[in-house]
Amino acid sequence: GGGGYFRLLPYALSRWSLARINRVDGRPAMFYFHPWELDPGQPRVAGLSAKTRFRHYLNLGRTEARLSRLLRDFRWDRVDRVFLDGGR
């Protein structure tokens, strides 16, 4: 999970989803984001539709704090250690 869903939906939903995968499915989860999603001051592209502007720019100012919270709420490791080495 991550990306636009992490910015657009309430933090609690991302946290619940990742916790459910860990707890109920007994599996690790992967989370991703794009570097631009941490930059609320990025240049605005002219001529975008309202839908694209909404999806791209909404909650950019909240992403860094949400990501910090997510890092505190879960254990994290590199993908090769979690998925390829079986988490050893």
Side-chain angles (χ1 to χ4, degrees):
Y5 294 110
F6 187 62
R7 286 185 300 104
L8 298 172
L9 300 174
Y11 173 80
L13 184 59
S14 292
R15 187 182 191 296
W16 177 86
S17 298
L18 292 173
R20 185 187 186 286
I21 291 168
N22 292 166
R23 185 183 66 255
V24 175
D25 298 340
R27 305 286 303 176
M30 183 178 287
F31 182 85
Y32 73 94
F33 63 95
H34 302 280
W36 61 261
E37 292 180 287
L38 296 173
D39 183 9
Q42 65 186 265
R44 299 306 197 243
V45 177
L48 299 176
S49 69
K51 178 181 174 182
T52 298
R53 282 193 318 272
F54 176 82
R55 286 188 317 205
H56 191 86
Y57 299 120
L58 186 71
N59 292 333
L60 286 175
R62 296 181 183 180
T63 306
E64 185 174 0
R66 285 182 179 195
L67 183 58
S68 292
R69 186 173 175 192
L70 196 71
L71 292 173
R72 287 189 308 269
D73 286 347
F74 293 91
R75 287 185 7 225
W76 300 94
D77 206 339
R78 294 184 346 212
V79 70
D80 62 329
R81 288 198 286 239
V82 173
F83 290 101
L84 302 178
D85 292 340
R88 287 180 250 153

